[in-house]
Amino acid sequence: MLVVNNLVKKYGKKTAVDSISFTVNMGEIYGLIGPNGAGKTTTLRIIATLLTPTAGSVVVDGIDVTKNPLEVRRRISYLPEEAGAYPYMTGEEYLVFISKLYDPENYKDIAVEAEELSGLGDALKEKIKTYSKGMKRRLQLARSLAVKPRLAILDEPTSGIDVLYSLEIREQIRRYAKQHGITILLSSHNMLEVEDLCDRVAIIYNGKIIAEGTVKEIINKVSAYNLEEAFARLVRHAR
């Protein structure tokens, strides 16, 4: 579903992404994790066609993101870490609006599904400007999954959401990936979340991938107790 090959992104003399390569299989939940400034978000934005790579290539569902970004956008959804929504729309209006953009013919069914996924109930009748950060996040995640993209790019999907609802969201992500054949590319600082959800993980540091494999493989590689400890050891070793 996703092939990243020798991807490079430079900002002037600074190299944000330094010749990274990885693939994500169809229906897989793949985690891209690393400390702040490691190159995660830059990589996700390139895959989402929001940034142009300096070198290398990214292919989504057989389509090059640089050569045909519009076709890629028809196949993906992207949830940035700081996703905004129109403050003077109600949650319900926003989900209908987004659903129409993705599928003008079947938008009503998509919007209803997104409403259920959000778990916001009667709050969907309220203006988004009245929502807490967690409520906005639930709204955004719901629209990202309900449109049933070929590839969902989720940057910190449970940011600002309480523990109980985070558990529900993880189950929703897992269920949607399985039921609808959605491939998930996920970035998160929550190692428990990554360990629970991801089939495979890549750790990126200073623009380079320093480890890749299943969670178990990465943990065993450094004889750690869990992914959080393995992550810390690998990053310290790479410094």
Side-chain angles (χ1 to χ4, degrees):
M1 179 55 66
L2 172 65
V3 180
V4 176
N5 186 39
N6 293 323
L7 183 64
V8 177
K9 180 62 179 178
K10 294 185 177 182
Y11 297 98
K13 294 181 179 180
K14 177 179 173 54
T15 301
V17 178
D18 192 358
S19 299
I20 67 170
S21 299
F22 63 93
T23 61
V24 181
N25 300 317
M26 193 174 296
E28 187 174 32
I29 301 178
Y30 188 96
L32 184 64
I33 61 176
N36 291 333
K40 304 184 304 298
T41 297
T42 297
T43 300
L44 298 185
R45 286 176 178 169
I46 292 171
I47 297 168
T49 77
L50 299 178
L51 291 176
T52 302
T54 304
S57 65
V58 175
V59 176
V60 175
D61 200 19
I63 302 167
D64 189 290
V65 300
T66 303
K67 295 177 181 177
N68 203 341
L70 289 179
E71 279 302 317
V72 171
R73 289 170 195 165
R74 291 187 177 100
R75 288 163 166 77
I76 68 171
S77 66
Y78 175 48
L79 175 64
E81 184 176 0
E82 297 294 336
Y86 299 106
Y88 291 98
M89 279 185 172
T90 65
E92 186 177 58
E93 289 169 344
Y94 177 73
L95 292 176
V96 169
F97 171 69
I98 294 296
S99 300
K100 280 184 177 180
L101 290 178
Y102 273 87
D103 192 340
E105 294 183 1
N106 303 300
Y107 74 90
K108 290 182 180 179
D109 291 339
I110 296 172
V112 168
E113 189 161 0
E115 289 173 13
E116 292 176 358
L117 270 172
S118 74
L120 291 172
D122 291 341
L124 288 166
K125 303 290 185 183
E126 305 296 327
K127 302 280 188 189
I128 293 171
K129 68 177 183 177
T130 67
Y131 286 12
S132 67
K133 182 180 179 180
M135 292 169 70
K136 291 176 184 175
R137 202 64 180 163
R138 289 160 65 174
L139 187 76
Q140 291 287 359
L141 184 65
R143 64 89 178 157
S144 298
L145 294 176
V147 297
K148 298 183 180 67
R150 299 281 286 162
L151 173 68
I153 304 164
L154 308 178
D155 194 356
E156 300 290 345
T158 58
S159 174
I161 295 176
D162 64 66
V163 173
L164 290 178
Y165 199 73
S166 291
L167 291 172
E168 289 184 36
I169 284 176
R170 292 211 294 268
E171 183 53 38
Q172 287 172 350
I173 291 172
R174 191 168 19 245
R175 176 167 54 86
Y176 259 65
K178 184 176 181 179
Q179 287 185 352
H180 304 292
I182 300 172
T183 304
I184 308 285
L185 177 60
L186 179 148
S187 180
S188 176
H189 286 107
N190 184 334
M191 293 298 112
L192 177 61
E193 180 171 276
V194 174
E195 193 167 346
D196 181 43
L197 275 177
C198 295
D199 300 303
R200 289 188 300 133
V201 174
I203 298 176
I204 186 170
Y205 176 70
N206 201 24
K208 295 179 180 289
I209 289 179
I210 59 173
E212 185 185 26
T214 65
V215 170
K216 186 176 180 179
E217 287 170 347
I218 291 175
I219 290 172
N220 290 343
K221 182 177 181 179
V222 291
S223 301
Y225 291 107
N226 53 36
L227 184 61
E228 185 174 64
E229 183 182 359
F231 172 82
R233 289 184 183 184
L234 285 161
V235 169
R236 281 196 297 265
H237 184 263
R239 285 176 176 169

